[in-house]
Amino acid sequence: MGETEKRIETHTIRCLSKLKMFLLAITCAYVAKTQSGSYMNSMLTQIERQFNIPTSLVGFINGSFEIGNLLLIIFVSYFGTKLHRPIMIGVGCMVMGLGCFLQSLPHFLMNRYEYESTVSVSGNLSSNSFLCMENGTQISKPTEDPSECVKEVKSLMWVYVLVGNIIRGIGETPIMPLGISYIEDFAKSENSPLYIGFIETGGIIGPLIGLSLASFCANIYVDTGSVNTDDLTITPTDTRWVGAWWFGFLVCAGVNVLTAIPFFFLPKTLPKEGLEDNAETITNDKEEKQREVKKKKDGITKDFLPFMKSLLCNPVYMLFILISVLQFNAFVNMFSFMPKYMEQHYGKSTSDAIFLIGIYNLPPICIGYIVGGLIMKKFKITVKQAAHIGCWFSLIEYLLYFSCFLMICDNSSVAGITASYEGMQHDLHVGNIHADCNKNCNCHTKIWDPVCGNNGLSYMSACLAGCETSSGTGINMVFQNCSCIQTPGNSSAVLGLCDKGQDCSMMLQYFLILSVMSSFIYSLSAIPGYMVLLRCLKPEEKSLGVGLHAFCTRVFAGIPAPIYFGALVDSTCLRWGTVKCGESGACRIYDSTSFRYIYLGLPAALRGSSYIPAFLILIILRKYRLPMENASSEIMLEAKFTGKENEGKEMDQNSKVLNGEELKTKL
């Protein structure tokens, strides 16, 4: 008898360690996958400038991740429970690493990045053709033979990024549904929210690492090592700047491959946490049930349609999917385009914008996830209570969100675009970018090479500012004798747009403080809300239900949202860049006011409509009995019976397994 007890204790410790091992491994997988995803989202503007493509196409590339996910999500969610879940998750991590590597390939296959400029990158001032010269002719840079130009413009290297993102989406498919269902199957019901809270926390630590990596890479020039950065005439705040986007993808590829290793050493099944003393009974019972299922069914897919029918007839589940689609539409747009919004509206560089997002938004979300999981565990929140907590916390954050509309900055004052040459704010699309001060300068009107005059007004180029002389090289170049800059004394200009000013910097601080509060409040509702999704499903439908939920959010939100939102952002563009042969490239400056209304207004409308089904769920839950409530009551009865039986008498090892009739009789 002593040997039996020791064996059971050893088995218990081993099972507990394996469950904790899986929890650690799946948390690391969440860190890796969300790191890659956040890095991809942060590098969208760099990819847009590198390949000179519109924002709508960048949105399609970003949404291609969801396309890859869609190809397998339903089948993985259903068939995954029949196969070895940890190994499938490990294979998914390896595939994600391959996708990240493919995304970095264009950098090694393309020529150096060349940005539009009227000034020579080398700073060679032997020719002043880029300045205001009466009866002169400017030579745009670069000039190429038309046939060579067409090859460059029609380059499809961005397809590598597209395909790599699709493969990354395929690899990510098994991680969420199989990982969550594995935890739900083998963890105590009261521990499950806390464990999922840890996993979701890993899903926040990953973006924090990814955003830090993106901020670092965005501050390094894309061709560093190949060009002399001292000769560059642009800085990270310039809309033509492209950071070393490719380097971060190589890092993400390595991290994903490393996180795959532990899953190949984890078992297919584990005893239910808290019932390890009856581990052999549970294992044999499950084996008998599996044999009965195989006898009754011709194949593995026979119960797929009944499960789907049951899910579609579940009102709480279907309303929850509708809420998720609407909310996901809003948050995909906000997160994907937040760096671009902070660049254009508050005048920050991509690197600074990404860094601020990581510092101000992610830590409060991480804390909120943990606090939400602890609240669920400590107070043993029921599903109905969790639904109320999730709904009301989310609504409070939504009302607080409207304060963002007050954190405004004016458009950058660019002569001929957003302001007159006298510095007066004009209606946008002034149309004529020439004035009396530069009409005889023979300036290019399509090249975006902005300079900031000492009068606080920006100009499209030094030539359009009427500048006649220059000194210095690279980014330190200074232009003098500028006829369009009306200031006492010598008029001069430097490269780049003028700063937005101190008032705009204060507005940015208010915006970031508000985002901290909003992120924390909303994250408190995340775990209770997710518990509603899990507990409204029958145990045998849980994996398929989570997969179908992910499928719907990707079809109706993850794929279309970046595309239509990118097209709306493109509609606010005031000046498009110019590449070889005069083809339009990436947008250089946006209408800040219209951009703000789209960026803040559209998510507000989408989220507002999601509270209609949310209130319907609260009403339905008053009378609706959830499947997990029935299951939990049965588990409690079995647990009580098992405890009394163990206290009453010692069971022989060969007679531990009781059939269904004996169990009913004793109960």
Side-chain angles (χ1 to χ4, degrees):
M1 190 63 198
E3 294 179 0
T4 304
E5 291 178 355
K6 288 181 181 179
R7 183 176 55 80
I8 292 175
E9 289 178 3
T10 304
H11 185 73
T12 300
I13 295 171
R14 190 188 309 122
C15 292
L16 282 173
S17 63
K18 286 180 180 178
L19 181 62
K20 298 299 189 296
M21 254 186 74
F22 181 83
L23 181 62
L24 178 61
I26 195 66
T27 302
C28 291
Y30 260 68
V31 170
K33 86 179 184 69
T34 52
Q35 174 191 342
S36 305
S38 63
Y39 183 83
M40 175 65 190
N41 284 327
S42 303
M43 289 289 109
L44 292 179
T45 53
Q46 309 300 303
I47 293 171
E48 177 182 345
R49 297 168 189 171
Q50 172 75 75
F51 301 105
N52 281 300
I53 53 179
T55 307
S56 55
L57 181 54
V58 173
F60 174 69
I61 293 174
N62 190 34
S64 64
F65 172 83
E66 312 296 349
I67 295 176
N69 216 284
L70 277 179
L71 296 176
L72 295 176
I73 185 67
I74 292 294
F75 298 101
V76 166
S77 300
Y78 178 71
F79 294 114
T81 57
K82 319 290 182 181
L83 304 173
H84 199 301
R85 282 179 281 186
I87 288 182
M88 290 190 66
I89 295 173
V91 171
C93 292
M94 299 286 286
V95 173
M96 280 199 300
L98 174 63
C100 291
F101 176 74
L102 283 178
Q103 288 180 289
S104 68
L105 273 184
H107 172 74
F108 304 99
L109 302 177
M110 293 175 63
N111 295 326
R112 293 183 193 173
Y113 170 67
E114 293 183 352
Y115 55 88
E116 58 178 317
S117 175
T118 58
V119 182
S120 174
V121 174
S122 63
N124 185 1
L125 299 180
S126 59
S127 171
N128 288 330
S129 59
F130 57 87
L131 297 175
C132 178
M133 301 176 63
E134 293 189 13
N135 301 323
T137 303
Q138 278 204 345
I139 301 174
S140 67
K141 184 202 170 293
T143 56
E144 299 282 351
D145 180 79
S147 61
E148 297 179 5
C149 183
V150 168
K151 291 179 183 177
E152 284 293 327
V153 172
K154 300 299 181 183
S155 175
L156 296 176
M157 284 294 178
W158 56 266
V159 174
Y160 280 94
V161 183
L162 176 71
V163 174
N165 212 30
I166 291 175
I167 293 176
R168 193 170 64 85
I170 292 174
E172 192 265 353
T173 305
I175 295 177
M176 185 188 73
L178 300 189
I180 296 296
S181 63
Y182 196 90
I183 290 292
E184 274 285 301
D185 286 347
F186 305 122
K188 285 183 180 179
S189 59
E190 62 267 24
N191 288 340
S192 180
L194 181 61
Y195 291 164
I196 293 176
F198 281 127
I199 295 173
E200 295 295 340
T201 301
I204 297 302
I205 295 174
L208 185 60
I209 299 172
L211 292 175
S212 301
L213 179 63
S215 178
F216 171 76
C217 293
N219 211 36
I220 302 174
Y221 189 64
V222 61
D223 292 317
T224 185
S226 302
V227 298
N228 185 2
T229 54
D230 294 334
D231 293 335
L232 296 177
T233 60
I234 56 175
T235 63
T237 57
D238 198 295
T239 54
R240 294 166 293 171
W241 176 274
V242 175
W245 55 272
W246 53 273
F247 179 74
F249 283 121
L250 292 177
V251 174
C252 292
V255 171
N256 278 294
V257 171
L258 288 176
T259 57
I261 297 173
F263 291 102
F264 295 100
F265 300 96
L266 290 169
K268 182 179 180 180
T269 60
L270 290 172
K272 184 77 172 179
E273 190 180 24
L275 301 177
E276 292 88 353
D277 291 344
N278 299 318
E280 295 182 6
T281 303
I282 295 167
T283 303
N284 294 332
D285 198 29
K286 285 185 177 180
E287 289 176 356
E288 288 181 6
K289 289 181 180 178
Q290 288 176 359
R291 292 192 197 102
E292 292 177 2
V293 168
K294 287 180 180 178
K295 290 178 182 179
K296 292 180 181 178
K297 298 177 182 178
D298 296 327
I300 199 172
T301 60
K302 191 171 182 179
D303 56 352
F304 180 78
L305 291 178
F307 281 0
M308 287 292 295
K309 181 180 178 182
S310 176
L311 291 174
L312 295 176
C313 295
N314 187 331
V316 175
Y317 176 74
M318 294 307 297
L319 286 172
F320 193 92
I321 285 182
L322 179 58
I323 295 170
S324 300
V325 167
L326 293 171
Q327 296 264 358
F328 201 52
N329 264 282
F331 286 113
V332 163
N333 294 332
M334 291 184 67
F335 183 73
S336 298
F337 295 96
M338 183 178 278
K340 181 184 284 287
Y341 177 73
M342 294 178 68
E343 285 180 61
Q344 293 294 327
H345 195 68
Y346 297 108
K348 306 301 293 183
S349 67
T350 303
S351 176
D352 290 343
I354 295 170
F355 179 76
L356 291 173
I357 292 170
I359 292 298
Y360 281 87
N361 286 51
L362 296 183
I365 294 177
C366 181
I367 295 171
Y369 276 150
I370 296 177
V371 172
L374 288 173
I375 290 174
M376 292 285 293
K377 176 178 172 62
K378 183 173 180 60
F379 297 101
K380 297 182 179 180
I381 304 296
T382 64
V383 178
K384 296 177 182 178
Q385 292 171 336
H388 279 277
I389 291 173
C391 179
W392 295 114
F393 269 120
S394 176
L395 183 61
I396 291 171
E397 187 275 331
Y398 175 67
L399 297 176
L400 187 64
Y401 167 82
F402 283 95
S403 302
C404 292
F405 285 93
L406 303 177
M407 286 66 174
I408 60 175
C409 289
D410 294 329
N411 283 297
S412 296
S413 296
V414 182
I417 299 180
T418 61
S420 67
Y421 276 83
E422 290 76 28
M424 302 295 293
Q425 290 289 329
H426 267 215
D427 290 335
L428 302 179
H429 300 285
V430 174
N432 185 14
I433 62 172
H434 285 103
D436 293 337
C437 59
N438 59 23
K439 63 181 180 181
N440 296 322
C441 293
N442 297 301
C443 301
H444 285 290
T445 59
K446 291 186 177 181
I447 302 296
W448 177 262
D449 195 11
V451 296
C452 176
N454 58 356
N455 60 348
L457 188 63
S458 300
Y459 302 85
M460 274 188 62
S461 66
C463 180
L464 288 171
C467 301
E468 298 177 352
T469 60
S470 64
S471 61
T473 59
I475 196 61
N476 298 316
M477 193 177 294
V478 179
F479 306 95
Q480 291 98 11
N481 301 328
C482 305
S483 58
C484 294
I485 301 176
Q486 302 171 0
T487 57
N490 184 27
S491 56
S492 62
V494 295
L495 289 168
L497 288 173
C498 297
D499 292 336
K500 290 261 188 174
Q502 186 63 30
D503 291 341
C504 192
S505 297
M506 289 301 299
M507 287 295 175
L508 174 60
Q509 293 299 320
Y510 297 147
F511 176 78
L512 292 172
I513 292 172
L514 183 63
S515 69
V516 170
M517 299 169 60
S518 299
S519 299
F520 177 72
I521 295 173
Y522 187 82
S523 62
L524 287 175
S525 67
I527 300 300
Y530 205 71
M531 283 296 102
V532 176
L533 170 65
L534 294 175
R535 299 295 166 81
C536 73
L537 300 173
K538 297 177 182 177
E540 64 272 15
E541 298 171 356
K542 196 169 294 180
S543 183
L544 180 61
V546 172
L548 181 61
H549 173 264
F551 178 85
C552 292
T553 55
R554 282 160 172 75
V555 169
F556 301 110
I559 296 174
I563 299 174
Y564 71 72
F565 200 83
L568 290 174
V569 170
D570 281 338
S571 68
T572 67
C573 184
L574 297 177
R575 175 63 58 173
W576 292 93
T578 304
V579 293
K580 299 175 182 179
C581 291
E583 296 285 341
S584 62
C587 185
R588 301 306 184 196
I589 185 172
Y590 294 86
D591 173 8
S592 184
T593 303
S594 299
F595 195 170
R596 183 178 75 253
Y597 287 146
I598 290 174
Y599 179 78
L600 298 176
L602 182 59
L606 290 168
R607 291 188 60 195
S609 60
S610 70
Y611 289 102
I612 298 175
F615 291 135
L616 288 176
I617 287 181
L618 297 182
I619 295 172
I620 292 174
L621 285 177
R622 291 179 179 178
K623 299 181 179 179
Y624 187 76
R625 188 169 179 83
L626 297 172
M628 288 303 293
E629 291 179 348
N630 297 330
S632 61
S633 62
E634 292 177 3
I635 291 172
M636 288 176 65
L637 286 173
E638 288 187 23
K640 289 180 180 178
F641 165 72
T642 305
K644 289 181 179 179
E645 186 174 341
N646 289 338
E647 292 175 4
K649 66 175 185 176
E650 298 176 359
M651 296 179 63
D652 187 69
Q653 184 175 353
N654 295 328
S655 61
K656 283 183 179 178
V657 182
L658 300 174
N659 58 33
E661 293 300 324
E662 290 174 337
L663 185 62
K664 289 179 183 177
T665 303
K666 288 183 177 292
L667 184 62

